[in-house]
Amino acid sequence: MDANRDSWCHEFSPSADRWRNFLVKTQYYNGRCLIPAISILLLVAVIAVSDTYFPFPVVMPRTLSAWLSYSSFTSSGGRKADGEACDIFRGEWVPDPDAPYYTNDTCSFIHEHYDCMKYGKLDLGFVQWRWRPDGCDLPRLDPSRFLSAMRGKTLAFIGDSLAKNHMNSLICLLTRVAKPTTSWPSSEHTVYHYGGGYNFTVLNFWAPFLVRSELVDADGPAHTGLWNLYLDEPAAVWAPHVPAFDYAFVSASSWFYRPSMLYEAGRLVGCHHCLLPNVTDLTLRYALRMATRAALRAVVGSDGGGITAVLRTVSPSQYEGGEWNKDGNCVRTRPYRRGEKTLQGFELDFHTLQVEEFEAAKRAASGGGVRMMLMDTTEAMIRLADAHPSRYRGWTRRKEWMKEYFTISNDCVHWCVPGAIDAWNDMLSHIGAREGYDGLELREKDPEVVAKDRLGELMQMGLHEYNQRRHAENLEEKRRKEER
Ligand SMILES: *[C@@H]1O[C@H](CO)[C@@H](O)[C@H](O)[C@H]1NC(C)=O
Ligand SMILES: *[C@@H]1O[C@H](CO)[C@@H](O)[C@H](O)[C@H]1NC(C)=O
Ligand SMILES: *[C@@H]1O[C@H](CO)[C@@H](O)[C@H](O)[C@H]1NC(C)=O
């Protein structure tokens, strides 16, 4: 049934038109995809203008509390919202004919590595999708509302180039309303500031291992370098800045494939793929687990001054038909269906340990002034294997210690901007939207929420009147029977 539901909207894929065709907004909505939307509209119209009632059980639209993924939050002294929670990370991609919301022409911040349009990606079908959770709606990021919710706040992205990719998409989504001024306190620390009354700051920290690292051999046992990792020392580039963060988005995984010597309390405890007979191979899973633990501790343990700590799960790399550094590529033209592709191998292990470390950190943090969220984007991303740059990206300067990495011919690791990764920011804006709440009440209601609430009230009223009328009719019938 799921597969069916999944497929009817996926049956077509936006055609292999080039970029400019997206500027001419062609309507290619599959009729069947429109039916639910049309029927809801009809329902509203019918309830509002007539006294026709509905002789079927009316399902109440989900309440506000269900709209937000409270299940993913813990908040100090706060309580979980009543009612059903909606997991925004389980769902499906549905067509979004209004996407994309920016292009390489309107956003000058796109890094050449993600700029698939500019570099000629042929099939742009992956652009016009949005993520729709099962059982609730996830509105697209509204830049004005987002910026007003974020006034006076600081949001930090900590991690590798995928953290940068995520940040890049956010900055571009916001360019519809405002452009930031950029500064670089160091080569590993970028600051985007929104002035003009917004007073919102986005920080990006380059910390691909999250913890302190040193390159000790540019070649190493696998020709991808050999690193010393200090698994209990959060990297100095970001950790001292934690008290300034309101939101910290932590993510890492892909750099852990590199051979490394692992240190704890300054002592060598083992390695990953160092191929030394006298050093225990603790594996890359151990390294990622301990580094994640150290990073979450650094965020959560920082006196808990109202910070929201977010751990984003592994972003799947999607090479097909070969290895990442050989002839593997990602040239699909349509998303996978639900269940068609699942996480495997190291990535499955990474995901599992990330969930475990998140849960442990959340338990440790309960009672402190910290909110925590697991941003579990993995399932969504595994289904859009066509949203990677492949070879449609800018040339990136080869660095000595990265030579292997950047001689890869096809990039099936990063995500095109604009593209599927914009959904990460729809999810992110949810966390911002939480700021608009005072306890469980919304201070400034989202117009869409207001409309849904109204629909719910109307349906309740209709149902009540319908029940009353049926009750009266039944009584009348009973009376007539008794008279006979
Ligand atoms: C955007 O991409 C198009 C190709 O799709 C290209 O012609 C144009 O020059 C690019 N714009 C910028 C500002 O790079
Ligand atoms: C801007 O926000 C910072 C906190 O990030 C705050 O300290 C500062 O006072 C704010 N400035 C203005 C002009 O509101
Ligand atoms: C492991 O053996 C090498 C020589 O083969 C030596 O240089 C190194 O110090 C040894 N490491 C440890 C941790 O004992």
Side-chain angles (χ1 to χ4, degrees):
M1 180 233 151
D2 266 355
N4 248 343
R5 194 151 72 91
D6 202 35
S7 59
W8 53 255
C9 282
H10 288 182
E11 234 30 284
F12 78 99
S13 169
S15 62
D17 290 339
R18 291 303 307 267
W19 180 234
R20 59 188 161 275
N21 293 7
F22 281 90
L23 302 178
V24 186
K25 298 276 185 211
T26 43
Q27 282 291 337
Y28 59 82
Y29 239 139
N30 178 309
R32 277 177 295 177
C33 297
L34 274 176
I35 289 168
I38 288 173
S39 38
I40 295 264
L41 283 178
L42 281 178
L43 206 54
V44 180
V46 167
I47 295 176
V49 303
S50 82
D51 57 1
T52 312
Y53 301 111
F54 296 88
F56 54 82
V58 176
V59 179
M60 278 291 291
R62 280 153 198 280
T63 54
L64 284 177
S65 53
W67 192 314
L68 288 173
S69 177
Y70 279 94
S71 59
S72 302
F73 283 110
T74 55
S75 61
S76 67
R79 30 192 188 119
K80 271 200 175 164
D82 295 334
E84 208 180 333
C86 169
D87 182 351
I88 61 166
F89 304 112
R90 302 284 165 267
E92 62 187 339
W93 292 98
V94 295
D96 180 0
D98 294 331
Y101 297 89
Y102 59 89
T103 69
N104 65 317
D105 285 319
T106 62
C107 179
S108 58
F109 294 86
I110 305 176
H111 189 280
E112 60 179 2
H113 212 94
Y114 324 130
D115 203 348
C116 307
M117 275 95 214
K118 180 166 170 185
Y119 292 98
K121 190 165 160 84
L122 301 173
D123 188 320
L124 295 167
F126 68 90
V127 176
Q128 294 191 306
W129 297 93
R130 73 180 177 91
W131 180 250
R132 189 182 64 192
D134 293 331
C136 62
D137 204 10
L138 178 67
R140 302 230 71 158
L141 182 144
D142 175 332
S144 308
R145 287 187 52 232
F146 181 80
L147 282 167
S148 73
M150 287 292 176
R151 187 164 287 129
K153 305 275 191 234
T154 298
L155 188 157
F157 290 98
I158 302 152
D160 57 21
S161 51
L162 279 155
K164 224 173 201 167
N165 204 171
H166 184 187
M167 179 273 304
N168 212 172
S169 153
L170 177 64
I171 300 292
C172 281
L173 285 165
L174 298 178
T175 52
R176 280 181 288 160
V177 168
K179 291 188 176 65
T181 53
T182 314
S183 55
W184 291 269
S186 82
S187 61
E188 300 174 328
H189 178 183
T190 313
V191 178
Y192 299 86
H193 183 71
Y194 291 83
Y198 294 117
N199 196 21
F200 170 52
T201 307
V202 176
L203 305 175
N204 182 248
F205 296 99
W206 173 253
F209 293 109
L210 302 175
V211 293
R212 180 158 80 91
S213 62
E214 295 165 346
L215 179 71
V216 286
D217 179 352
D219 193 32
H223 310 294
T224 50
L226 177 67
W227 300 75
N228 280 347
L229 302 186
Y230 298 88
L231 295 178
D232 48 3
E233 298 179 40
V237 63
W238 66 272
H241 298 278
V242 171
F245 305 163
D246 295 287
Y247 299 89
F249 284 78
V250 174
S251 60
S253 62
S254 52
W255 279 59
F256 286 82
Y257 290 108
R258 289 152 212 246
S260 52
M261 307 300 290
L262 308 176
Y263 291 83
E264 283 171 11
R267 231 169 36 84
L268 184 69
V269 293
C271 75
H272 154 56
H273 198 76
C274 59
L275 307 181
L276 295 175
N278 56 348
V279 181
T280 317
D281 195 323
L282 292 173
T283 80
L284 73 172
R285 300 178 196 87
Y286 181 82
L288 178 61
R289 179 185 292 280
M290 298 315 277
T292 304
R293 186 176 297 180
L296 288 177
R297 277 191 185 156
V299 174
V300 167
S302 69
D303 88 12
I307 197 170
T308 299
V310 183
L311 178 66
R312 184 180 51 70
T313 57
V314 57
S315 176
S317 65
Q318 298 175 306
Y319 290 94
E320 290 181 321
E323 287 173 57
W324 64 273
N325 54 356
K326 305 234 171 60
D327 46 7
N329 204 353
C330 36
V331 290
R332 296 181 63 83
T333 52
R334 57 190 304 284
Y336 283 108
R337 293 175 188 174
R338 198 190 294 255
E340 201 178 339
K341 184 140 184 272
T342 53
L343 210 55
Q344 282 167 354
F346 285 123
E347 287 174 342
L348 178 59
D349 295 344
F350 288 172
H351 186 269
T352 306
L353 73 88
Q354 285 170 330
V355 172
E356 287 168 1
E357 288 304 315
F358 173 80
E359 291 299 336
K362 187 167 128 174
R363 277 194 302 277
S366 67
V370 178
R371 291 192 291 143
M372 291 193 68
M373 185 183 190
L374 183 70
M375 192 164 167
D376 194 354
T377 53
T378 310
E379 181 185 313
M381 301 321 274
I382 208 166
R383 305 241 295 271
L384 267 189
D386 51 345
H388 296 288
S390 181
R391 64 192 168 88
Y392 304 104
R393 57 186 171 83
W395 178 82
T396 305
R397 202 177 315 112
R398 176 193 282 210
K399 292 182 180 148
E400 197 43 48
W401 48 271
M402 285 186 157
K403 61 185 175 201
E404 268 298 318
Y405 192 70
F406 282 109
T407 50
I408 59 171
S409 48
N410 304 311
D411 182 349
C412 303
V413 173
H414 300 96
W415 301 95
C416 296
V417 170
I421 196 172
D422 295 331
W424 293 8
N425 290 310
D426 300 337
M427 294 165 178
L428 182 152
S429 76
H430 239 52
I431 304 164
R434 182 73 167 69
E435 292 298 298
Y437 287 75
D438 186 7
L440 295 174
E441 291 300 307
L442 247 193
R443 276 187 259 118
E444 241 180 285
K445 281 203 180 185
D446 180 335
E448 223 172 316
V449 174
V450 172
K452 289 198 169 189
D453 279 0
R454 182 74 188 129
L455 172 61
E457 280 167 24
L458 287 167
M459 288 173 112
Q460 274 299 57
M461 273 161 49
L463 191 63
H464 180 68
E465 285 177 39
Y466 169 74
N467 285 339
Q468 283 200 324
R469 201 171 62 175
R470 285 299 301 266
H471 184 64
E473 280 168 9
N474 286 343
L475 281 180
E476 177 68 13
E477 201 174 330
K478 199 171 162 210
R479 197 177 52 78
R480 275 201 308 267
K481 272 188 190 154
E482 279 164 6
E483 277 174 8
R484 268 187 258 127

